[in-house]
Amino acid sequence: MQWGQIKTLFILSFLLLDIYLLVLVIQKQEDLSLLESIANEQEQDFLKQEEIIIPEKLPESLPEEPLITTQQKIFSEEEIEDIKERDNQEIEVVNRNFIIALLEEAVAIPENATSEAIAQLVTSAVYLGNEYSFDHWDQDRNIIVFFQKKNERPVYYNQNGVIIAYLNANNEIVAYTQSYLGEVEASNEEKTLIKPLSAIRILYDSNLLFAKDEVTEVEIGYHTFLPLDSGRQVLVPTWKIRINDSHNRLVNAYEQKVIPVNDDFVNIVLYSSIDNVRAIKGKEEFKKKMLDTITSKLQ
Amino acid sequence: MKLEVIKSYTLAILVGISLILSISLWSYSPNDDLLDEEQLLDPSELDLGGTEKTKKAIVQPSQIIFSKNKFQQSYFGFANPNDRIKLYNDMTSWVLYNFRAVDGNGRPNNDLLVELIYPEELPMEIIPNLFTVNNQDNFGIQENLSFQRVYITFSESTNSLTFIFLSTDGKTQLRADVNNTQKYEVLDNYIKNLTGLEEYIKLEDREYPVYLPIEPKMTYYTWTTYEPANEANIIKNALFPYPKEVVENRTEENITWYQDGTRAMQVFEHELSLEFIDPQEEMFVDPMNTIELLDKGIAEINGYKGWLHDYHLEDVNRMNNLITYQMHYKGYPVFNPDNLATIEQRLVNNELAEHRQPIYKIYTTASENYVLETGLDVINHLKNTNSLYNISEIQDIRVGYRLSYHVPADQNAYISLTPTWYIKVNDIWQQVLLEDDIHREEVS
């Protein structure tokens, strides 16, 4: 009988202990979620204080993803034949990796064409054009720049995955050059990506985003610091943030680090294109026309 | 009876729940993805096998000159530069008392004078980092003053020494005393008996003269090097934030690249040196002062015990935050145009943006006697009307080693150190080509 009473006593005391512990656990969880929400609010605070406008709908936060690598594609004989089989184009492939094309008839870009319409126009006419996305129309030089896509995301500023379409004074495409990145390989390790808002915050902290600025576009893509011509390139997920519809900033989405934008990118591509044109054997007339076109775009 | 069984089970369950709750309370922590991967590396994977150094050891004067001005001006410096380093290291432990700023009127003109000449202007604030300062609280100095020369004067009556840090504009002297008879005698002994010293000569009369040894005794050295082992990999581990994710590849041009998509490290031919680049947005750069630059720069290299050779600070370029450390051998500076004798760091916003470093390790050393042109030959040559140099533009002159190498097929690099005169013009060190050399160059 005594043992039974002791048991009852134990049951009661353990019940009390369990209730106490449970309360502690719940409190701890609440504290943490509260901290998180405060952090979130604070993250947003600077936007209000500095009157910085951001798009209403930012891209969703992204799950963990692996590091990917790629390499400049070396075309096979069959692929080169396929590349050259295009109507209304005279095409040369240099070093089995660089496509140079002159249009026999210039293609006019309709006035007030949207970027989608321009993209459609060019990508339908080039080899694997659906793998490229429109980046910008450089009105000073009158060229249109397209970046190649990997995993449905553009690879920013990579001279080994870019199309440049050359326009004449009448806004007609007269030629283009194209490079192509090959298959991607994913590594085993996965990493979390920073949220778009954190990327905007880093720009603000780095004095690259000011009061009353407007973030006009936020987009995820890839970037590499070292676009090697031979050997593998590491593509890092990168937020491209467009400010005041006038200039872009890149933020490494793995590390919260601003990536300096290479302002000289177009010139680098143009110079390497010139070298590639010069490497063509024979075809003097083609070379001359192409060189004239490209050199007129140098600044 | 049945009730008792139920009670037993209830008790057991309650005890179980309390255990589970306690464990979850103790081990509950938010997901932390920012786990520092470097900590997962074995310490040996972050150890280049060199040493760690302090600012005191890195910042060294390039010359210590004893001058006697009483009857006839004469100058002496150490015949063996290692003795200079030894004396200087001792000096840094001398306690400096009674700091006071005095309006200066250029260099002091005492009969007996010891002059320390640093290779680079240093901010006055760095003094407590280099010397032993008594009661640092009283070490009040005007900001933005820097010094390159320190003069030590003797006070015979009190057997004490006075250190004079002369501001580079010559207008302020920061003075401090050393009241230690023993240390007084050390310097007094050198300047009176000239033990271990040799005679120096001034290039020309200037407020801040350039001194050079009249007859330096030099030796020619050759090194063989170890086969390159894991050096590049260790520096990769140290400089990349996530070393395990770094991709290594060799291009068609036989250059090894390490990259993580954001940074890159290039290992040059024969694995003698490497270059690391972490591009930074430089639109707005917070200026860093010399002390901050040195602290951060030295700590980076200490982090992987990266001082494979003896290095002294050579230059701090505040314009672009570039620090240069010069290799020294037997106390003499070593020069090589391909960065095989210098470590260079560029810091932007407290991050290492660029890093260049030699990574070879010395295996054996051999030496031969060498006859170097005398200091008088060099001065005569420089003053010669046909000279390539304008004497007033020469900022400094040093005897050092010219490092050159060759790598026979399938062997490790051979490195030779040829004693050579160097002059600094426009902040760049260049070899003095004496006529014989010019002639030789023409023949070859």
Side-chain angles (χ1 to χ4, degrees), chain A residues 3-5 7-8 10-12 14-15 17-19 21-22 24-25 28-29 32 36 64 67 69 187 189-192 206-208 210 223-228 230-236 249 252 254-255 257-261, chain B residues 4-8 10-11 13-19 21-22 24-26 28-30 33-34 37 241-242 244-247 249-253 257-265 277-284 286 351:
Chain A
W3 174 232
Q5 284 170 341
K7 244 196 282 190
T8 315
F10 266 122
I11 288 173
L12 279 174
F14 267 99
L15 198 66
L17 178 70
D18 283 355
I19 290 167
L21 287 176
L22 198 69
L24 280 188
V25 169
K28 202 164 182 175
Q29 269 172 343
L32 281 168
E36 243 169 55
E64 294 197 340
L67 208 68
T69 62
S187 74
E189 286 197 50
E190 298 213 326
K191 284 173 88 170
T192 324
S206 316
N207 286 324
L208 297 168
F210 301 107
H223 181 265
T224 183
F225 161 57
L226 193 67
L228 287 174
S230 71
R232 298 208 73 76
Q233 306 183 1
V234 181
L235 299 182
V236 179
R249 294 275 168 213
N252 181 329
Y254 278 153
E255 288 183 34
K257 183 179 189 299
V258 179
I259 300 171
V261 175
Chain B
E4 288 307 308
V5 176
I6 292 168
K7 271 162 79 178
S8 301
T10 315
L11 185 60
I13 290 167
L14 284 172
V15 170
I17 291 174
S18 71
L19 279 176
L21 284 174
S22 310
S24 71
L25 250 184
W26 283 17
Y28 191 86
S29 67
D33 291 324
L34 299 169
E37 282 212 19
Y242 303 101
K244 287 183 178 167
E245 287 160 21
V246 173
V247 174
N249 66 33
R250 198 175 268 264
T251 63
E252 286 162 8
E253 299 88 27
W257 285 98
Y258 291 85
Q259 50 166 336
D260 67 357
T262 309
R263 309 162 184 80
M265 187 171 89
I277 295 193
D278 182 358
Q280 305 286 331
E281 178 59 58
E282 297 193 31
M283 202 136 148
F284 296 93
D286 284 331
E351 293 280 337

Side-chain angles (χ1 to χ4, degrees), chain A residues 184-286:
Chain A
V184 297
E185 276 175 31
S187 74
N188 300 329
E189 286 197 50
E190 298 213 326
K191 284 173 88 170
T192 324
L193 302 192
I194 60 165
K195 286 179 273 182
L197 196 60
S198 313
I200 294 172
R201 171 83 205 198
I202 293 154
L203 291 182
Y204 171 73
D205 289 341
S206 316
N207 286 324
L208 297 168
L209 182 66
F210 301 107
K212 299 192 175 154
D213 270 351
E214 184 180 357
V215 174
T216 38
E217 195 193 342
V218 179
E219 180 192 60
I220 187 85
Y222 290 108
H223 181 265
T224 183
F225 161 57
L226 193 67
L228 287 174
D229 289 340
S230 71
R232 298 208 73 76
Q233 306 183 1
V234 181
L235 299 182
V236 179
T238 301
W239 290 109
K240 183 176 93 174
I241 295 167
R242 191 158 178 80
I243 300 168
N244 299 335
D245 227 349
S246 66
H247 58 281
N248 296 328
R249 294 275 168 213
L250 299 180
V251 176
N252 181 329
Y254 278 153
E255 288 183 34
Q256 311 215 345
K257 183 179 189 299
V258 179
I259 300 171
V261 175
N262 188 351
D263 295 327
D264 213 25
F265 172 74
V266 171
N267 266 340
I268 290 171
V269 177
L270 294 182
Y271 278 115
S272 86
S273 306
I274 289 172
D275 288 343
N276 279 316
V277 173
R278 291 204 173 118
I280 300 172
K281 293 187 183 75
K283 309 248 178 191
E284 293 308 324
E285 198 187 336
F286 176 86

Side-chain angles (χ1 to χ4, degrees), chain B residues 59-76:
Chain B
V59 182
Q60 291 261 347
S62 53
Q63 282 186 331
I64 296 182
I65 299 291
F66 297 84
S67 44
K68 294 182 166 189
N69 302 320
K70 201 158 190 180
F71 305 112
Q72 185 194 354
Q73 289 185 333
S74 50
Y75 309 97
F76 302 88

Side-chain angles (χ1 to χ4, degrees), chain B residues 99-101 124 127 139-141 163-165 172-176:
Chain B
F99 269 93
R100 59 212 183 264
M124 293 278 190
I127 294 169
F139 179 80
I141 41 128
F163 277 61
I164 301 173
F165 299 85
T172 311
Q173 293 185 348
L174 187 67
R175 295 184 178 214

Side-chain angles (χ1 to χ4, degrees), chain B residues 145-159:
Chain B
L145 279 184
S146 51
F147 69 96
Q148 190 163 5
R149 298 192 183 216
V150 181
Y151 301 90
I152 304 170
T153 58
F154 297 78
S155 166
E156 229 171 307
S157 54
T158 54
N159 270 11

Side-chain angles (χ1 to χ4, degrees), chain A residues 87-105:
Chain A
D87 295 338
N88 178 31
Q89 298 183 20
E90 191 180 352
I91 295 176
E92 287 296 319
V93 179
V94 182
N95 297 331
R96 294 176 56 193
N97 61 20
F98 193 79
I99 302 168
I100 302 166
L102 264 179
L103 305 194
E104 280 153 14
E105 270 174 50

